Structures are given as C-alpha cells and as structure tokens.
Amino acid sequence: MRLRRGIAIAAVAGGVAVTTMLIGLVTNAVSDQSRWPGWLGWLQEHAWFSFILLGVVMVVGTALLAALSEPRTPVPIAEPSPRPEDGPGPPGAALVLRSLPRDTAAFTNRTAELDALVRSVQMWQESGEALPVHVVDGMPGVGKTTFAVHAGHVLSERFPDGQLFVNLNGHTSGRSPVQATEALASLLAATGVPTQQIPVGDDVGAVTEARAALWRGRLADKKALLILDNAASYRQLEPLLPGGAGCLVLVTSRKRLAANEEVVLPVEALPPDHAVDLFTRLSGRPADSLDRTVVGALVRMCGNLPLGVSLLAARLRHHPSWSAEDLRGRLVATRDRLGELRAGERAVTATFDLSYRDLPQERQRFFQALGRYPGTDLDAYAGAALGSVSVAEARRHLDALYDDHLIEEQPGDRYRLHDLLRDYAHGLTDGERAGMDDVQTITRVCTYYLAALAGANNHIVRTGAPAPPPPPPPQDDTSRAETPPAESRAAALEWLENERPNVLACIRRANNLDLHELVIRLATAMAPFLRQAGPWDQAVGLHRTAADAARRAGDRQALAGALAELGVVRRFMAAYPEATQALNEAVTEYEAVGDQQGKAAALNQAGIVWYLTADTEAAARAQTEALALYREVGDRFGQANALADLGMVRRQTSQFDASMEAQTEALSIYRELHDQYGEANSLRDLGVVHCLMGEYELAARRHHEAFDIYRELDDRVHQAYALNELGLVRRLTGDLGGAREDHARALEHYTELGDRFGRANSVRHLGAVERVSGNVAEAARLVEEALSMYRDLGSRGGEAAALSELGVIRGLVGERDSATGAFEHGLEIVRDLGDRCAEAEIHNHWGTLMLARSDPAAGRERFDQALSLARDIRCPLEEARALEGIGRCDWAIDRPAQAEPSLRQAVTVYRRLGMGAEADEIERLLASRAG
C-alpha cells in the first residue's frame, strides 16, 4: 500500500513539473518574450505542438493517478468525516434514553476494569468531592459501550435520581456528530423541562451556554448517572456535564479525550483466555466438545474483540454440523480475500463478512438496507419501509439479525447497528449502484415517515384546522407503508418524540441527495409537532431548510408554506421583526401562486405579531383582510381564527362592542367545528371584555368555562391565563383571598412552564392584590419585578400596566414625583397603543395622587379626562372611579352642591358593578357631611 502511494505521489510531482514547463513554453511562444535553450527552443517556436503535448501529459497523468489511487478493498471500514459541530444544514436531535439499554450476554470478565471503576466512584463519593468524568476509551469493536452499560447497571443503585443514555454519534458513518446544543435540548426535555423553558435563539453559542446552565441547575443536588456514548471530542461533551457533585458521567470514545479532571479507563481487547471463554459461552456448545487451541486461533483472528468473538460464536451456534475447525477454515479463506485491508480492519471485517455471507439472500438485502438508514435506531415499521417488506417479515429479519449479533436491541422493541457494522453494511454496495440504492432507500423510509406522521397529526392538529397534505398515494398495494397505531394524542406525541431524531436525520439525508419534495413534505408534516413540542430553534432550522429546498426546486407554493411556518415559530420565540419579515414574504409568495387561503393564513399570523408589538392599526387591517379572504374561500376555521384575533385587537383599542361581536361569532363557529381549544380561547377573551365592561358575574362565568375546557385539554399554559383573569375579577369584587390564590396558582404554572410573559402578568396581579390589602412594601417589590420582566420581553402593554400600578404604590409611600414620572411614561405608552381604557385608569390614579397632594383642581382635570374616556368606551369601573374623584375634588374645593351629584352617580355605578364596599364608603362620606 505504501509503495502504491509513493508511486502516485511521484507521478503527481513529475506531472506537475512537466505541465508547468509546457505552460511556460506556450505562454512565451504566444508573447514572444524570453527564448528557451536547446530542444525547448524548438518547442517554443512550434506553439501548437506544445499545446498538444501539454494535453497529452495532463490526460496521461490523470489516468495514471486514478489507476494508482483506485481502491481495491471490497468492504472497507473507514472513519467517518464528521461535520463541524456548528455547520449549516438541517437541524438534528439527540436520542436520549431515559433508562439504561439492556445489559448484554456478550459482556465477559472485565473484572479489573469494572473493579477500578467501582473503586473510583466509591472513593470519590466517600470523599464528598465532586465525581470526575470517567472516560472509557479504546479501539472500535472493543466493547466500550457494552462495558459502560454493564457498569451503569452495576452502579445504578448508587444513583437513584435516574440514569440517562445519549448517543453522540461521534464516529457514526453518514451521521453528523450531535451538536451540544441539540443534545442539551433533548436531555432537558427527557428530564421533564417544558419546551417553553428551554432557551432558544439564533446565537448558537449563547443558546448552548444558557441550556448548559439550565441543565446544570436541573441536576444540582441530584445523584444521577449519565452515559455519553460515542463522543467525538471533549468540546462536544463539556457543555453536557451536569452541575451536581453527586452525578456520575461515563463517556465512551475511540479517541483519547484530554481533560485534567477526568479518570481514564482504557478498555483493551480481551485477554486470550477471556475471549475463548466468551466464545464458548455464546457458541452454545459444551466446553469439552471444542478444541480450545482451535478456538484460541479463531478469537486471535478477530483480534480478541468482543464484537468479532460474538459474531463468530453465533456462526457456530447456527451451524450444528460445523466444527470449530470448519469455522476457522472459512474465516481463513475470507481473510485471504480481504488481504489488502489493514490488519485491524481485516480482523473485524473478515468476521462481518463471514456472518453476512451466512445470511439468506433476502436477509442480506435487508441488512444492506439497514446500513443505508440515516437514523439512530428503528422499529419494525421503519425496518419494513427500508427493506420494502411487510412489518411481520421485518420483525423476523430484525429478530434473526439480533440472534446473529449483527444488530443491538434497544428499549421499546427497537434496534440499532453498531457503527462498525453500519459502515460494513453501507459498503456492501459500491459505485453507481450504491447511489441509486441510497436514493431508493431514503425515498422509501421518508415516504413511510410521511404516512406515519399523517396518522400522528390526526391526534395533535386542532379540529377543523387544515392538516399537512397526505403523502402521495402508493403506486400499488405492495408499496403501501404500514404505520404504527396511534390511538390517542398521548401515544402520538410519544411516538413523535421517539422518532424525532430519526425523522430529522432522514430530512438531512434527503436534503443531501437533493430530494427536495421529500424535504418539503417532511418539514410540513413535522410542523404541528414542533409548534407544540419545540425546541423552536430546531423548528426554525427545519423550516429554513424546507424554504431552501423549495427555492432550489422552484416551488413557490412550498416556499410560501415554509416561510409561513418560519414566521409562526419566530413569533413563539418573540423574535417579532424576523417573524414579520417571514410572514410578509409568505404573503407575497401566496399572492404569486394565487393561493387565497394560504395568504389569509399568513395575514392572520402577521396580524397576531402586529397585535403583540402594539401596532393595532396594522393588526386590525391584516385580520380584516384575512377574514374577507377566508369568507371568500369558505374556510370556516380560518374565519373563526381571524374573528377571534380581530376581537382581541378591538378590545385592545377599547372598542368593546365590536370586540364582543367578533368574539361571539368566532365562538359560534368554533362550537360548530367542535374545536374546544378555539372555544376556550374565545370564552376567555369574552370574559376579559365583560370584566372591562363591569359585568363581573358574567366575566367569572366565562373564565370558569374556559378554565374547565383547558383542564380537559391538559393545556396548563392557558389554564394559567384563565386563572389570572379569574383572580382579577375576584380582586375587583373584593375577594382578595381568592384573587391571591388564583394568581399564585397561575404563577406556579407559568414558572414551571417557563412562560415569562405569563409569569410577569401573575407577579403584577399579585402586586395589585398586596397593594389593596395594605402590604405596600411587598406590592412595590412585586410590581417592580414585573416591570423589569415586561421590559426584558419588550411588552409595552405590560410595561404600561406595571407603571400605572407602580405610580399608585409610590404615591402611597409619599414618593409623589416618582409616581408622577411613572404615570407620565405609562400614559405615553397607552396612547401609542390606542388603549383608552388603560388611559382612563391612569388619569384616575393620577387624579387621586393630585388630590392627596392637596391640589384638587389639578386632580379634577385628570378625573374629567378619565370620565370622558370611560363613558366614550363604556368602561363603567373607570367611570365610577372618575365620578368619585370628581366629587371628592369638588368637596375639597368647597363646592358641595356640585360634589354630591357626582358621588351619588358613583354609588349607583358601583352598586351596579357589585362593588358594595366602594359604594358603602361613599355613602358614609355623604352621611358624615350631611350631619
């Protein structure tokens, strides 16, 4: 091999020298510059001959180099070329097992290594210091993963808070190493962290750091075991290290990973006697029936590697008529045929080759197909699609291959190929045929996933909502994909979470093969799940990939869909400028292809973004246009969504009648479509409007109805929203204990779910409850915390509400200039937002402050403005407060004749609202003045 390489290098060097000389001759001949000596001068004078000679030299050199470089190895096992961790392309995901894989019978007598590990763990635990990382390294096939899993089972009782297993794909052919940020997202989800609480963003470094911090906090004070299998580098695994001093991390890697704090446990090939014992046990033959010398020769021929020993023993077990000598002869013949492989490769590959050739032809084809599977693990359904066989037949093949030690069993009736066997299987087909097989295999498995995703989406897409388009119909019954049963929403979500890494890997492979339509269809089919389950930066990567595929395919319809999904996910991430850009581009693309329904959906989503960014005029315009388009195409679900979102915009601008009308129509359509989620949302928003209009009993009823539906749907985020609204109604009607309880429950939900906006609302509401209860210091602390959160989130409406409440609190403690500043800033924001109800509230609070500062004339001006606004928008609570304030100011100015009518009108409104305490206080004031 070295001689061939030397010849190739010499040929290249000589060719380069001759080519360079001829180019110089031709160049000088053309330019007629310097003259070359001797026969070179003759060539220079005959430029065309120099051109011909240059071409001949280049062709001969190329052919010679190709001949010398052509690989002669039938089935090489090559190291994969991993992509950079932060390289571009479709997103990936790590497969995280929440329990250890099954312990294997192939484990044998690693007593010294196991004792060293157990002693090390025991010593560090007894010392009370943090457990160091323990790295198990060794050559491929030596049994690193098997050792780590076995050790995990032995040590599991020492780590009662859980055991996790992650395959990092550091040396998996055809798979990119798992990025640390992807692994962290999967680990956090596996340990129960809600999607909304997993940090997302475009800065990969910052996101990785934030997720790592959350992961460390999650395992602080825990005793858990984490196996990081197949690591590529210390850089890849470092962010995954938990913060808990009591956590044990076992890492397996082919490389020696450099870190000062680690404990290295090298795993070598088995000692000869142990390899013989393993072979004897797995062969199923009595020990005295085997020639130990022959068995010793057999295990030496496969390098004493457990993987090779297991395969050889399985061959003997499945051929009762063979003797150990027969097996040795066959292995020798196979090794001779693979003579050009390196010694280490030859040892393992010969064993693989012997096992493979012993398979029936149809199982050989199935095994080859497994080698082309880009996913991490698979079940019988995916296996059936890969092998183009029935699920029952795929199950038989998988069971047989497991018995033959050619695949490994995973929890949940799933299987995976060892990396070396994956490389071997993939290399069984060479050249152009391999490329064709790759395309056909990936097409089959992607088509299967499209069918399975369609079944799962039936359980997670809202009733009445448009579902992703179904997969293309099969050409015949034999190509119809069998899919796993998804009998409930919970089962569908579990299947989707298990298959997430595999579907994303298939999308990545399809993208590399330029199978654009499959990339687009799979991204669309995954969209409903990723909307709900996240992490949303993963969804962003997926929809960007789909958009790129659509552009390359010239499919503007698909491009519009990908951009629309990208905009939705960007909205979830509160990346509003990026969301607006993507949705505006989607509107343009939908217009170009004449898709009115798609354009309406994109406008509806853009309107939501504008509502959230307080551009109420643009939001109303978008929702009105979306509603008209939905009505034009007869999309009832879309009509309901646009009406509901338009109702929210109208409420924000204090157009309560218009809001009520839109939400009531939306509620009717949602009920017609049996869409409980939409029904609950409209009920909750109607409750908000009823509360603003002073109809507290009706508001409470609507919020209770919404809460009950959210609870039935197990939607804890919206349960929390309903609780906050109920708490507000309770506070306004004097039930401070009930209000505090509702807001505290909502805060608990939001904190657990990681919803920062909802958490800020709960904290602000709790601050208001404490202020009314007289706990002014605690009220100030809570409202200032809420204000900080609103500003971090860029929520101007929330900021204005917090400033209004903070102004009242600062006025109560005598910080009147600070209170005035809060009111001024809050008033500026609500005027920009067009929220006249909030504007009236601030004027009332400000008037109260001026009255307390003995400036009743200035206070009356504020109350007059509040009264005008409140009556204009029909907001009775602010009307009653304004009337009360006007009356008190008139009394302070010594105008009792004018004061009394205002105060009596305030009593009437308060009574109508059910606010007896406020009405009673005014009546006592009137009585005292009369006396």
Side-chain angles (χ1 to χ4, degrees), residues 5 10 58 61 102 120 130 148 238-239 278-279 298 312 361 380 396 418 433 504 543 545 579 633 643 647 799 819:
R5 288 178 181 168
M58 293 181 72
R102 175 181 172 181
S120 175
E238 187 173 18
L278 176 62
F279 180 95
L298 275 170
L312 282 179
Q361 189 172 13
R396 286 194 294 271
H418 189 284
R433 177 66 186 169
L504 294 178
H543 297 312
T545 298
V633 299
L643 283 163
E799 181 181 2

Side-chain angles (χ1 to χ4, degrees), residues 223-355:
K223 289 186 176 181
L225 169 64
L226 175 63
I227 297 179
L228 301 176
D229 187 40
N230 199 2
S233 64
Y234 195 80
R235 176 190 171 199
Q236 180 192 28
L237 66 90
E238 187 173 18
L240 312 183
L241 303 181
C247 292
L248 172 63
V249 179
L250 289 179
V251 178
T252 73
S253 180
R254 296 182 188 180
K255 295 182 178 179
R256 299 186 187 280
L257 306 179
N260 295 330
E261 70 273 15
E262 71 186 19
V263 174
V264 178
L265 298 165
V267 175
E268 309 290 348
L270 292 171
D273 287 347
H274 295 173
V276 169
D277 291 342
L278 176 62
F279 180 95
T280 302
R281 188 171 79 248
L282 296 179
S283 71
R285 304 283 182 92
D288 56 8
S289 70
L290 295 171
D291 185 328
R292 199 168 177 87
T293 302
V294 174
V295 172
L298 275 170
V299 297
R300 278 196 305 276
M301 291 170 70
C302 61
N304 289 334
L305 296 176
L307 180 62
V309 172
S310 301
L311 287 167
L312 282 179
R315 298 280 50 75
L316 195 62
R317 186 177 71 246
H318 287 291
H319 290 278
S321 64
W322 287 7
S323 66
E325 182 60 37
D326 293 332
L327 179 61
R328 192 185 73 84
R330 290 172 182 270
L331 185 59
V332 167
T334 304
R335 282 167 57 96
D336 290 344
R337 187 171 54 80
L338 302 174
E340 293 190 11
L341 284 172
R342 295 194 304 268
E345 289 181 350
R346 185 166 65 247
V348 179
T349 305
T351 308
F352 293 169
D353 212 52
L354 190 64
S355 297

Side-chain angles (χ1 to χ4, degrees), residues 444-512:
R444 286 198 304 270
V445 76
C446 287
T447 302
Y448 154 71
Y449 275 124
L450 283 171
L453 284 166
N457 282 335
N458 287 335
H459 292 282
I460 66 172
V461 174
R462 284 172 59 186
T463 305
Q475 297 176 350
D476 52 59
D477 287 341
T478 60
S479 60
R480 188 181 301 277
E482 295 181 68
T483 58
E487 298 173 352
S488 67
R489 174 181 170 83
L493 289 172
E494 182 181 5
W495 179 86
L496 283 160
E497 194 58 63
N498 288 336
E499 293 290 355
R500 178 208 299 261
N502 301 320
V503 176
L504 294 178
C506 286
I507 292 173
R508 184 186 288 271
R509 184 64 180 137
N511 194 58
N512 292 340

Side-chain angles (χ1 to χ4, degrees), residues 614-693:
D615 190 346
T616 51
E617 185 177 340
R621 190 167 54 246
Q623 299 300 354
T624 302
E625 186 178 355
L627 178 60
L629 289 170
Y630 279 133
R631 283 175 171 160
E632 184 180 324
V633 299
D635 183 343
R636 298 286 286 165
F637 181 78
Q639 290 173 47
N641 285 342
L643 283 163
D645 294 325
L646 183 60
M648 293 172 63
V649 177
R650 298 301 187 211
R651 168 174 57 78
Q652 180 69 35
T653 53
S654 303
Q655 301 174 64
F656 299 140
D657 289 338
S659 176
M660 190 81 71
E661 181 182 350
Q663 285 293 358
T664 301
E665 186 178 352
L667 177 62
S668 175
I669 298 175
Y670 284 135
R671 283 174 170 167
E672 169 195 321
L673 297 174
H674 305 289
D675 179 12
Q676 287 186 289
Y677 182 78
E679 178 185 358
N681 286 345
S682 284
L683 285 168
R684 179 170 57 86
D685 209 65
L686 282 168
V688 174
V689 178
H690 285 307
C691 181
L692 290 168
M693 296 177 70

Side-chain angles (χ1 to χ4, degrees), residues 179-182 184-185 188 197-218 235-236 238-241 537:
Q179 294 185 30
T181 188
E182 295 168 349
L184 284 165
L188 289 167
Q197 202 170 339
I198 297 176
V200 294
D202 292 329
D203 186 334
V204 175
V207 170
T208 302
E209 203 171 300
R211 288 178 179 176
L214 181 58
W215 171 240
R216 290 192 294 271
R218 189 76 177 174
R235 176 190 171 199
Q236 180 192 28
E238 187 173 18
L240 312 183
L241 303 181
D537 52 353

